């Protein structure tokens, strides 16, 4: 069986980190010769696609993604596109592909590696052992709600968006979250702002109803402001967090600071089929592009998530995770996670070291 992977490197550091991710996937193929086969096909997305086609998300890219088994994405965006009209900005491509592939469930794990305890700005005793999965709804909420725009209302300019969730959207993300909790420590915290927002009141009602189908999962609710505070006060209280698109965007960036660097965090965006999109949660970092210093680990761990969630290759996914751990244990670091006494190295070298570990075991 051949797994078809659409490779979309994107902008900024995207191409460098995706290259390392692809190398690691090729190493997996080598290790499981004859058993695991990947086919890679590249396409443009983001600013580089705009330069070529005058749109950040060409139809050909969507077509390729739709006929693939998984999408492997780097990052999109660069300063030089900041002045483009909103409809053709690189970020629009990200929202567009999520919607086009119906990727409504975004899984963002925040796991603290013991080896990196000192890279975090938080105290070791607070973060040691943290293992949180943020389940963020990805195709609804104020991100996509209509009406939206900037108009003149009673002589004044007004900017507006619509925070709206349909019950079916809340139900399907709830099922993903409860099922995720069932495979972990069976604790689910739903985050909303039900003390103020009607949209959140419906969210809470539906999550509570669905919880009856998962009696083993302990469900709690938390307001988003409190959740933001609790995440750094006592992150170990969390197992799985489920929340809407905008709160999930903010909280997952916050959670990424527990492990110390955005450069460590992978993500999976899933639909109700096996087709998923896998990308690091960090952006395109145009300030360091082309310097071979970006951390490729978030991307490499995203490849591991791809093996697990789209291809059900759990052993091979574990192999990647173990290889990453080994390289960290041996003290190799990119700049973002460097601390005294460790060895500072490059994007490509970290990638090579991970490939070597993978092939050794
Ligand atoms: C993310 C990013 C995107 C989002 C942006 C780039 C559109 O911040 O994936 O978290 O807001 O979803
Ligand atoms: Mg974000």
């Amino acid at each position: 069986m051949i797994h078809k992977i659409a490779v979309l490197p994107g902008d900024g550091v995207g191409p460098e980190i995706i290259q390392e991710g692809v190398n690691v996937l090729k190493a997996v193929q080598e290790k499981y010769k004859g058993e695991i086969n990947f086919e890679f096909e590249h396409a443009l997305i983001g600013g580089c696609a705009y330069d070529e086609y005058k749109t950040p998300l060409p139809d050909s890219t969507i077509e390729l993604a739709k006929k693939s088994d998984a999408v492997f994405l780097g990052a999109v965006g660069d300063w030089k596109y900041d002045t483009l009209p909103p409809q053709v900005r690189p970020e629009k491509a990200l929202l567009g592909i999520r919607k086009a592939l119906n990727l409504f469930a975004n899984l963002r794990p925040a796991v603290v590696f013991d080896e990196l305890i000192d890279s975090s700005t938080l105290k070791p005793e607070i973060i040691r052992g943290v293992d949180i999965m943020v389940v963020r709804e990805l195709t609804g909420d104020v991100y996509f709600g209509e009406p939206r725009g900037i108009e003149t209302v009673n002589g004044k300019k007004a900017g507006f968006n619509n925070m709206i969730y349909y019950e079916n959207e809340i139900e399907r993300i709830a099922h993903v979250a409860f099922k995720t909790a069932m495979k972990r420590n069976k604790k689910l915290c739903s985050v909303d702002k039900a003390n103020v927002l009607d949209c959140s009141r419906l969210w809470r009602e539906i999550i509570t109803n669905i919880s009856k189908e998962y009696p083993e999962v302990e469900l709690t609710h938390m307001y988003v402001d409190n959740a933001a505070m609790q995440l750094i006060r006592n992150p170990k209280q969390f197992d799985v967090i489920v929340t809407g698109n905008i709160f999930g965007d903010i909280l997952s960036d916050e959670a990424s600071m527990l492990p110390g660097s955005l450069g460590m965090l992978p993500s999976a965006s899933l639909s109700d089929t096996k087709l998923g999109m896998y990308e690091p949660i960090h952006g395109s970092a145009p300030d360091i592009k082309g310097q071979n210093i970006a951390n490729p680990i978030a991307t490499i761990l995203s490849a591991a998530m791809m093996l697990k969630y789209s291809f059900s290759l759990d052993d091979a996914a574990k192999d990647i995770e173990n290889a990453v751990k080994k390289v960290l244990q041996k003290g190799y670091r990119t700049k973002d996670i460097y601390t005294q006494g460790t060895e500072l190295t490059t994007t490509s070298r970290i990638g090579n070291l991970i490939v070597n570990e993978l092939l050794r075991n």
Side-chain angles (χ1 to χ4, degrees), residues 11 45-47 49-50 54-58 62 73 76-78 81 84-100 142-146 148-149 161 277:
D11 307 313
I45 192 167
Y50 176 82
K54 293 286 157 273
T55 165
L57 184 58
I62 302 225
L73 182 107
V76 298
D78 202 331
Y81 308 109
L84 288 178
Q87 347 42 289
V88 290
R89 285 188 54 143
E91 293 79 8
K92 252 308 196 248
L94 208 47
L95 301 184
I97 196 165
R98 288 171 181 171
K99 198 71 172 177
V142 67
Y143 269 65
F144 292 94
E146 300 282 345
R148 62 186 300 160
N161 292 84
M277 185 163 87

Side-chain angles (χ1 to χ4, degrees), residues 325-340:
K325 267 196 202 120
K326 265 273 155 48
V327 168
L328 292 174
Q329 262 160 24
K330 291 186 173 170
Y332 298 104
R333 303 283 188 272
T334 41
K335 202 169 160 208
D336 56 311
I337 50 173
Y338 173 78
T339 45
Q340 227 178 4

Side-chain angles (χ1 to χ4, degrees), residues 28-68:
V28 166
Q29 185 168 254
E30 175 72 31
K31 185 179 166 108
Y32 292 89
K33 222 184 184 110
E35 267 175 75
I36 298 181
N37 298 293
F38 301 124
E39 195 178 290
F40 301 97
E41 196 172 335
H42 284 65
L44 297 179
I45 192 167
C48 58
Y50 176 82
D51 288 340
E52 184 84 17
Y53 301 105
K54 293 286 157 273
T55 165
L57 184 58
D59 290 342
S60 52
T61 298
I62 302 225
E63 286 318 307
L64 172 67
K66 282 188 172 160
K67 64 174 199 243
S68 302

Side-chain angles (χ1 to χ4, degrees), residues 113-185:
F113 288 87
D114 271 346
E115 295 77 19
L116 295 185
I117 286 269
D118 294 329
S119 305
S120 178
T121 50
L122 296 172
K123 292 196 183 106
E125 63 269 28
I126 301 288
I127 55 165
R128 185 167 281 117
V130 160
D131 183 348
I132 300 172
M133 180 66 90
V134 178
V135 179
R136 168 189 177 195
E137 200 288 329
L138 203 58
T139 51
D141 203 349
V142 67
Y143 269 65
F144 292 94
E146 300 282 345
R148 62 186 300 160
I150 301 176
E151 282 174 20
T152 303
V153 182
N154 298 331
K156 289 197 243 359
K157 268 187 155 185
F160 51 93
N161 292 84
N162 187 10
M163 181 179 264
I164 178 166
Y165 264 121
Y166 294 89
E167 53 186 346
N168 61 308
E169 292 177 314
I170 306 173
E171 279 162 13
R172 63 183 185 178
I173 194 72
H175 284 294
V176 172
F178 280 106
K179 286 188 180 130
T180 304
M182 282 299 288
K183 290 195 204 128
R184 296 171 43 105
N185 291 330

Side-chain angles (χ1 to χ4, degrees), residues 243-259:
T243 190
N245 205 345
I246 185 86
F247 298 156
D249 178 44
I250 298 165
L251 292 181
S252 61
D253 261 33
E254 189 191 2
S256 76
M257 277 298 105
L258 303 169

